[in-house]
Coordinates of all heavy atoms in Angstrom, one line a residue:
M72 N 24.1 -22.3 22.4 CA 23.0 -21.5 22.7 C 23.3 -20.0 22.2 O 22.4 -19.4 21.7 CB 22.7 -21.5 24.2 CG 21.4 -20.8 24.6 SD 20.1 -21.7 23.8 CE 18.7 -20.8 24.5
R73 N 24.5 -19.6 22.4 CA 24.8 -18.2 22.0 C 24.8 -18.1 20.5 O 24.4 -17.1 20.0 CB 26.3 -18.0 22.5 CG 26.6 -16.5 22.6 CD 28.0 -16.4 23.2 NE 27.9 -15.6 24.4 CZ 28.9 -15.4 25.2 NH1 30.1 -15.8 24.9 NH2 28.7 -14.7 26.3
K74 N 25.2 -19.1 19.8 CA 25.2 -19.0 18.3 C 23.7 -19.0 17.8 O 23.4 -18.3 16.8 CB 25.9 -20.2 17.7 CG 27.4 -20.2 17.8 CD 28.0 -21.4 17.2 CE 29.5 -21.3 17.4 NZ 30.2 -22.5 16.8
I75 N 22.9 -19.8 18.4 CA 21.5 -19.8 18.0 C 20.8 -18.4 18.2 O 20.1 -17.9 17.4 CB 20.7 -20.9 18.8 CG1 21.2 -22.3 18.3 CG2 19.2 -20.8 18.5 CD1 20.7 -23.4 19.1
R76 N 21.1 -17.8 19.4 CA 20.6 -16.5 19.7 C 21.1 -15.5 18.7 O 20.3 -14.6 18.2 CB 20.9 -16.1 21.1 CG 20.2 -14.9 21.6 CD 20.5 -14.4 22.9 NE 20.8 -15.5 23.8 CZ 21.5 -15.3 25.0 NH1 21.8 -14.1 25.4 NH2 21.7 -16.4 25.7
A77 N 22.4 -15.5 18.3 CA 22.9 -14.5 17.3 C 22.3 -14.8 16.0 O 22.0 -13.7 15.3 CB 24.4 -14.8 17.3
L78 N 22.0 -15.9 15.6 CA 21.4 -16.2 14.2 C 20.0 -15.7 14.3 O 19.5 -15.2 13.3 CB 21.5 -17.7 14.0 CG 22.8 -18.2 13.5 CD1 22.8 -19.8 13.4 CD2 23.3 -17.6 12.3
A79 N 19.3 -15.9 15.5 CA 17.9 -15.5 15.5 C 17.8 -14.0 15.4 O 16.9 -13.4 14.8 CB 17.3 -16.0 16.8
V80 N 18.7 -13.3 16.1 CA 18.7 -11.8 16.1 C 19.0 -11.3 14.7 O 18.4 -10.4 14.2 CB 19.7 -11.3 17.2 CG1 19.9 -9.8 17.0 CG2 19.2 -11.5 18.6
A81 N 20.0 -11.9 14.1 CA 20.3 -11.5 12.7 C 19.2 -11.7 11.7 O 19.0 -10.9 10.9 CB 21.6 -12.2 12.3
G82 N 18.6 -12.9 11.9 CA 17.4 -13.2 11.0 C 16.3 -12.2 11.2 O 15.6 -11.8 10.2
A83 N 16.0 -11.8 12.5 CA 14.9 -10.9 12.8 C 15.2 -9.5 12.2 O 14.4 -8.8 11.6 CB 14.7 -10.8 14.3
L84 N 16.5 -9.1 12.3 CA 16.9 -7.8 11.7 C 16.8 -7.8 10.2 O 16.3 -6.8 9.6 CB 18.3 -7.4 12.1 CG 18.5 -7.0 13.6 CD1 20.0 -6.9 13.9 CD2 17.7 -5.7 13.9
V85 N 17.2 -8.8 9.6 CA 17.2 -8.9 8.1 C 15.7 -8.9 7.6 O 15.3 -8.2 6.7 CB 18.0 -10.1 7.5 CG1 17.6 -10.3 6.1 CG2 19.4 -9.9 7.8
S86 N 14.8 -9.7 8.3 CA 13.5 -9.8 7.8 C 12.7 -8.5 8.1 O 11.9 -8.0 7.4 CB 12.7 -10.9 8.5 OG 12.7 -10.7 9.9
G87 N 13.1 -7.8 9.2 CA 12.5 -6.5 9.5 C 12.9 -5.4 8.6 O 12.0 -4.6 8.1
L88 N 14.1 -5.5 8.1 CA 14.5 -4.5 7.1 C 13.9 -4.7 5.8 O 13.6 -3.8 5.0 CB 16.1 -4.5 6.9 CG 16.9 -3.9 8.1 CD1 18.4 -4.2 7.9 CD2 16.6 -2.5 8.3
A89 N 13.7 -6.0 5.4 CA 13.0 -6.3 4.1 C 11.6 -5.8 4.1 O 11.1 -5.3 3.1 CB 13.0 -7.8 3.9
V90 N 10.9 -5.9 5.2 CA 9.5 -5.4 5.3 C 9.5 -3.9 5.2 O 8.7 -3.3 4.5 CB 8.8 -5.9 6.6 CG1 7.5 -5.2 6.8 CG2 8.6 -7.4 6.6
V91 N 10.4 -3.2 5.9 CA 10.4 -1.7 5.9 C 10.8 -1.2 4.5 O 10.3 -0.3 3.9 CB 11.4 -1.2 7.0 CG1 11.6 0.3 6.8 CG2 10.8 -1.5 8.4
A92 N 11.8 -1.9 3.8 CA 12.2 -1.4 2.5 C 11.2 -1.6 1.4 O 11.2 -0.9 0.5 CB 13.5 -2.2 2.2
S93 N 10.3 -2.6 1.5 CA 9.3 -2.8 0.5 C 8.0 -2.0 0.8 O 7.1 -2.0 -0.1 CB 9.0 -4.3 0.5 OG 8.4 -4.8 1.6
A94 N 7.9 -1.4 1.9 CA 6.7 -0.7 2.2 C 6.6 0.6 1.4 O 7.5 1.4 1.3 CB 6.6 -0.4 3.7
T95 N 5.5 1.0 0.8 CA 5.2 2.2 0.2 C 4.0 2.8 0.6 O 3.1 2.1 1.1 CB 5.1 2.0 -1.4 OG1 4.0 1.1 -1.7 CG2 6.4 1.4 -2.0
P96 N 3.9 4.2 0.6 CA 2.7 4.8 1.0 C 1.5 4.3 0.2 O 1.6 4.1 -1.0 CB 2.9 6.3 0.8 CG 4.4 6.4 0.7 CD 4.9 5.1 0.2
A97 N 0.3 4.3 0.7 CA -0.9 3.9 0.1 C -1.3 4.7 -1.2 O -1.7 4.2 -2.2 CB -2.1 3.8 1.0
H98 N -1.1 6.0 -1.1 CA -1.5 6.9 -2.2 C -0.3 7.7 -2.7 O -0.4 8.9 -2.9 CB -2.6 7.9 -1.7 CG -3.8 7.2 -1.3 ND1 -4.7 6.6 -2.2 CD2 -4.4 6.9 -0.1 CE1 -5.7 6.1 -1.6 NE2 -5.5 6.2 -0.3
A99 N 0.8 7.0 -3.0 CA 1.9 7.7 -3.5 C 1.7 7.9 -5.0 O 1.3 7.1 -5.7 CB 3.2 6.8 -3.4
E100 N 2.1 9.1 -5.5 CA 2.0 9.5 -6.9 C 3.1 8.9 -7.7 O 4.2 8.7 -7.2 CB 2.0 11.0 -7.0 CG 0.8 11.7 -6.6 CD 0.7 13.1 -6.9 OE1 1.8 13.7 -6.9 OE2 -0.4 13.6 -7.2
T101 N 2.8 8.5 -8.9 CA 3.8 7.9 -9.8 C 3.9 8.7 -11.1 O 2.9 9.1 -11.6 CB 3.3 6.4 -10.2 OG1 3.1 5.7 -9.0 CG2 4.3 5.8 -11.1
L102 N 5.1 9.0 -11.5 CA 5.3 9.7 -12.8 C 5.0 8.7 -13.9 O 5.6 7.7 -14.1 CB 6.7 10.2 -12.9 CG 7.1 10.9 -14.2 CD1 6.2 12.1 -14.4 CD2 8.5 11.2 -14.2
R103 N 4.0 9.1 -14.8 CA 3.6 8.2 -15.8 C 4.3 8.5 -17.1 O 4.6 7.6 -17.9 CB 2.0 8.2 -16.0 CG 1.2 7.7 -14.9 CD 1.6 6.2 -14.7 NE 0.9 5.8 -13.5 CZ 0.8 4.5 -13.2 NH1 1.4 3.6 -13.9 NH2 0.2 4.2 -12.1
N104 N 4.4 9.8 -17.5 CA 5.0 10.2 -18.8 C 5.3 11.7 -18.7 O 4.8 12.4 -17.9 CB 4.0 9.9 -19.9 CG 4.8 9.5 -21.2 OD1 6.0 9.8 -21.3 ND2 4.2 8.8 -22.1
V105 N 6.0 12.2 -19.8 CA 6.3 13.5 -19.9 C 5.9 13.9 -21.3 O 6.2 13.2 -22.3 CB 7.8 13.8 -19.7 CG1 8.2 15.3 -19.9 CG2 8.3 13.3 -18.3
Y106 N 5.2 15.0 -21.5 CA 4.7 15.5 -22.8 C 5.1 16.9 -23.1 O 5.5 17.7 -22.2 CB 3.1 15.5 -22.7 CG 2.5 14.2 -22.4 CD1 2.2 13.8 -21.1 CD2 2.4 13.2 -23.4 CE1 1.7 12.5 -20.8 CE2 1.8 12.0 -23.2 CZ 1.5 11.6 -21.9 OH 1.0 10.4 -21.6
Y107 N 5.1 17.2 -24.4 CA 5.4 18.6 -24.8 C 4.3 19.6 -24.7 O 4.5 20.8 -24.6 CB 5.9 18.6 -26.3 CG 7.3 18.0 -26.4 CD1 7.5 16.7 -27.0 CD2 8.4 18.6 -25.9 CE1 8.7 16.1 -27.1 CE2 9.7 18.1 -26.1 CZ 9.8 16.8 -26.7 OH 11.1 16.3 -26.7
S108 N 3.0 19.1 -24.7 CA 1.9 20.0 -24.7 C 0.9 19.5 -23.6 O 0.8 18.4 -23.2 CB 1.1 19.9 -26.0 OG 0.5 18.7 -26.3
S109 N 0.2 20.5 -23.0 CA -0.8 20.3 -22.0 C -1.9 19.4 -22.5 O -2.4 18.6 -21.7 CB -1.3 21.6 -21.4 OG -2.0 22.3 -22.4
S110 N -2.4 19.6 -23.7 CA -3.5 18.8 -24.2 C -3.2 17.3 -24.2 O -4.1 16.5 -23.9 CB -3.9 19.3 -25.6 OG -2.8 19.1 -26.5
D111 N -2.0 17.0 -24.6 CA -1.6 15.5 -24.6 C -1.6 15.0 -23.2 O -2.0 13.9 -22.9 CB -0.2 15.3 -25.2 CG -0.2 15.5 -26.8 OD1 -1.3 15.4 -27.4 OD2 0.8 15.8 -27.3
C112 N -1.1 15.8 -22.3 CA -1.0 15.3 -20.9 C -2.4 15.1 -20.3 O -2.7 14.0 -19.7 CB -0.3 16.3 -20.0 SG 0.0 15.9 -18.3
Y113 N -3.4 16.0 -20.5 CA -4.6 15.9 -20.0 C -5.4 14.8 -20.7 O -6.2 14.1 -20.1 CB -5.4 17.3 -20.0 CG -4.9 18.2 -18.9 CD1 -4.1 19.3 -19.3 CD2 -5.2 18.0 -17.6 CE1 -3.7 20.2 -18.3 CE2 -4.8 18.9 -16.6 CZ -4.0 19.9 -16.9 OH -3.5 20.8 -16.0
R114 N -5.2 14.7 -22.0 CA -6.0 13.7 -22.7 C -5.6 12.3 -22.3 O -6.4 11.4 -22.0 CB -5.7 13.8 -24.3 CG -6.4 12.8 -25.1 CD -6.3 13.1 -26.6 NE -4.9 13.2 -27.0 CZ -4.4 14.2 -27.6 NH1 -5.2 15.3 -27.9 NH2 -3.2 14.3 -28.0
Y115 N -4.2 12.0 -22.1 CA -3.8 10.7 -21.6 C -4.2 10.5 -20.1 O -4.5 9.4 -19.7 CB -2.3 10.5 -21.8 CG -2.0 9.0 -21.6 CD1 -2.4 8.1 -22.5 CD2 -1.2 8.6 -20.5 CE1 -2.1 6.8 -22.3 CE2 -0.9 7.3 -20.3 CZ -1.4 6.4 -21.3 OH -1.0 5.0 -21.1
G116 N -4.2 11.5 -19.3 CA -4.6 11.4 -17.9 C -6.1 11.0 -17.8 O -6.5 10.1 -17.1
D117 N -7.0 11.6 -18.6 CA -8.4 11.3 -18.7 C -8.5 9.8 -19.2 O -9.4 9.0 -18.7 CB -9.2 12.2 -19.6 CG -9.3 13.6 -19.0 OD1 -9.3 13.7 -17.8 OD2 -9.5 14.5 -19.8
Y118 N -7.8 9.5 -20.2 CA -7.8 8.1 -20.7 C -7.5 7.1 -19.7 O -8.2 6.0 -19.5 CB -6.8 8.0 -21.9 CG -6.7 6.5 -22.5 CD1 -7.6 6.1 -23.4 CD2 -5.7 5.7 -22.0 CE1 -7.5 4.8 -23.9 CE2 -5.6 4.4 -22.5 CZ -6.5 4.0 -23.5 OH -6.4 2.7 -24.0
G119 N -6.5 7.3 -18.8 CA -6.1 6.4 -17.8 C -7.3 6.3 -16.7 O -7.5 5.2 -16.2
V120 N -7.9 7.3 -16.4 CA -9.0 7.3 -15.4 C -10.2 6.5 -16.0 O -10.7 5.7 -15.3 CB -9.4 8.7 -15.0 CG1 -10.7 8.6 -14.1 CG2 -8.3 9.4 -14.2
Q121 N -10.5 6.8 -17.2 CA -11.6 6.1 -17.9 C -11.4 4.7 -18.0 O -12.4 3.9 -17.9 CB -12.0 6.8 -19.2 CG -12.5 8.2 -19.2 CD -12.6 8.8 -20.5 OE1 -12.1 8.3 -21.5 NE2 -13.1 10.0 -20.5
N122 N -10.2 4.2 -18.2 CA -9.9 2.8 -18.4 C -9.3 2.1 -17.2 O -8.7 1.1 -17.2 CB -8.9 2.7 -19.6 CG -9.6 3.0 -20.9 OD1 -10.5 2.3 -21.3 ND2 -9.1 4.1 -21.5
H123 N -9.5 2.8 -16.0 CA -9.2 2.2 -14.7 C -7.8 1.9 -14.5 O -7.4 0.9 -13.9 CB -10.1 1.0 -14.4 CG -11.5 1.3 -14.6 ND1 -12.3 2.0 -13.6 CD2 -12.4 0.8 -15.5 CE1 -13.5 2.1 -14.1 NE2 -13.6 1.4 -15.2
M124 N -6.9 2.6 -15.2 CA -5.4 2.4 -15.1 C -5.0 3.1 -13.8 O -4.0 2.7 -13.2 CB -4.7 3.0 -16.3 CG -5.1 2.3 -17.5 SD -4.6 3.1 -19.1 CE -2.8 3.1 -19.0
W125 N -5.6 4.2 -13.4 CA -5.4 5.0 -12.1 C -6.6 5.7 -11.7 O -7.6 5.8 -12.5 CB -4.2 5.9 -12.3 CG -4.1 6.8 -13.4 CD1 -4.9 7.9 -13.7 CD2 -3.4 6.6 -14.6 NE1 -4.7 8.4 -14.9 CE2 -3.7 7.7 -15.5 CE3 -2.4 5.7 -15.0 CZ2 -3.1 7.8 -16.7 CZ3 -1.8 5.9 -16.3 CH2 -2.2 6.9 -17.1
T126 N -6.6 6.1 -10.4 CA -7.9 6.7 -9.9 C -7.9 8.2 -10.1 O -9.0 8.8 -10.2 CB -8.0 6.4 -8.4 OG1 -6.8 6.8 -7.7 CG2 -8.2 4.8 -8.1
S127 N -6.8 8.9 -10.1 CA -6.7 10.3 -10.3 C -5.3 10.7 -10.9 O -4.4 9.8 -10.9 CB -6.9 11.1 -9.0 OG -5.9 10.8 -8.1
Y128 N -5.3 11.9 -11.4 CA -4.0 12.4 -12.0 C -3.9 13.8 -11.8 O -4.9 14.5 -11.6 CB -3.9 11.9 -13.5 CG -4.8 12.7 -14.4 CD1 -4.3 13.8 -15.0 CD2 -6.2 12.3 -14.6 CE1 -5.2 14.5 -15.9 CE2 -7.0 13.1 -15.4 CZ -6.5 14.1 -16.0 OH -7.3 14.9 -16.8
R129 N -2.7 14.3 -12.2 CA -2.5 15.8 -12.3 C -1.3 16.0 -13.3 O -0.5 15.2 -13.4 CB -2.2 16.4 -10.9 CG -0.9 16.0 -10.3 CD -0.6 16.7 -9.0 NE 0.5 16.2 -8.3 CZ 1.7 16.7 -8.4 NH1 2.0 17.7 -9.1 NH2 2.7 16.1 -7.8
C130 N -1.4 17.1 -14.0 CA -0.4 17.5 -14.9 C 0.4 18.8 -14.4 O -0.3 19.7 -14.1 CB -1.0 17.8 -16.3 SG -1.7 16.4 -17.1
D131 N 1.7 18.7 -14.3 CA 2.5 19.8 -13.9 C 3.3 20.3 -15.0 O 3.9 19.5 -15.7 CB 3.4 19.3 -12.7 CG 2.8 19.2 -11.4 OD1 1.7 19.8 -11.2 OD2 3.3 18.5 -10.5
N132 N 3.4 21.6 -15.1 CA 4.3 22.2 -16.1 C 5.6 22.7 -15.5 O 5.6 23.5 -14.6 CB 3.6 23.5 -16.7 CG 4.3 24.1 -17.8 OD1 5.3 23.6 -18.2 ND2 3.9 25.3 -18.2
Q133 N 6.7 22.1 -15.9 CA 8.0 22.4 -15.4 C 9.0 22.2 -16.6 O 8.9 21.3 -17.3 CB 8.4 21.4 -14.4 CG 7.6 21.4 -13.1 CD 8.1 20.4 -12.1 OE1 9.1 19.7 -12.3 NE2 7.5 20.3 -11.0
Y134 N 9.9 23.2 -16.7 CA 10.9 23.2 -17.7 C 10.3 23.2 -19.1 O 10.9 22.5 -20.0 CB 11.9 22.1 -17.5 CG 12.4 22.0 -16.1 CD1 12.0 20.9 -15.3 CD2 13.2 22.9 -15.5 CE1 12.4 20.7 -14.0 CE2 13.6 22.8 -14.2 CZ 13.2 21.7 -13.5 OH 13.6 21.6 -12.2
N135 N 9.2 23.8 -19.4 CA 8.5 23.8 -20.7 C 8.1 22.4 -21.1 O 7.9 22.1 -22.3 CB 9.3 24.4 -21.7 CG 9.5 25.8 -21.5 OD1 8.7 26.6 -21.0 ND2 10.7 26.4 -21.8
L136 N 7.9 21.5 -20.1 CA 7.4 20.2 -20.4 C 6.2 19.9 -19.4 O 6.1 20.5 -18.4 CB 8.5 19.1 -20.1 CG 9.7 19.2 -21.0 CD1 10.8 18.2 -20.5 CD2 9.3 18.8 -22.4
W137 N 5.4 18.9 -19.7 CA 4.3 18.6 -18.9 C 4.4 17.2 -18.3 O 4.7 16.2 -19.1 CB 3.0 18.7 -19.7 CG 2.5 20.1 -20.0 CD1 3.0 20.8 -21.1 CD2 1.7 20.8 -19.3 NE1 2.4 22.0 -21.0 CE2 1.7 22.1 -19.9 CE3 1.0 20.7 -18.1 CZ2 0.9 23.2 -19.4 CZ3 0.2 21.7 -17.6 CH2 0.2 22.9 -18.2
F138 N 4.4 17.1 -17.0 CA 4.6 15.8 -16.3 C 3.3 15.3 -15.9 O 2.5 16.0 -15.2 CB 5.5 16.0 -15.1 CG 6.9 16.4 -15.5 CD1 7.2 17.7 -15.9 CD2 7.9 15.5 -15.5 CE1 8.6 18.0 -16.2 CE2 9.2 15.7 -15.9 CZ 9.6 17.1 -16.2
L139 N 3.0 14.1 -16.2 CA 1.7 13.4 -15.8 C 2.0 12.6 -14.6 O 2.8 11.6 -14.6 CB 1.1 12.5 -16.9 CG -0.1 11.7 -16.6 CD1 -1.3 12.6 -16.2 CD2 -0.4 10.8 -17.7
W140 N 1.4 12.9 -13.4 CA 1.5 12.2 -12.2 C 0.2 11.6 -11.9 O -0.9 12.2 -12.1 CB 1.8 13.2 -11.1 CG 3.2 13.8 -11.2 CD1 3.4 15.0 -11.8 CD2 4.4 13.3 -10.7 NE1 4.8 15.2 -11.7 CE2 5.4 14.3 -11.1 CE3 4.8 12.1 -10.0 CZ2 6.7 14.0 -10.7 CZ3 6.1 12.0 -9.7 CH2 7.1 12.9 -10.0
S141 N 0.2 10.3 -11.4 CA -1.1 9.7 -11.2 C -1.1 8.9 -9.8 O 0.0 8.5 -9.4 CB -1.5 8.7 -12.3 OG -0.6 7.6 -12.3
V142 N -2.2 8.6 -9.3 CA -2.4 7.8 -8.1 C -3.0 6.4 -8.6 O -4.0 6.4 -9.1 CB -3.3 8.4 -7.1 CG1 -3.5 7.5 -5.9 CG2 -2.7 9.7 -6.7
P143 N -2.2 5.4 -8.4 CA -2.6 4.0 -8.8 C -3.8 3.5 -8.0 O -4.2 3.9 -7.0 CB -1.5 3.1 -8.6 CG -0.4 3.8 -7.9 CD -0.8 5.3 -7.8

């Protein structure tokens, strides 16, 4: 009986950790690409929204590069 209880507890812990590890926020932003110019970043961001690849996006300028972030 003791072995069965230990196995049940270990199984519950492992399955609980798997659920927590795979959970992601509903509206987490994803880095899509990095561009040298703002026009390329905004053009591809608009393209993704128009073709239903993502619902919204933003372009950030850091280190003289443009980072395209989107919400899937």
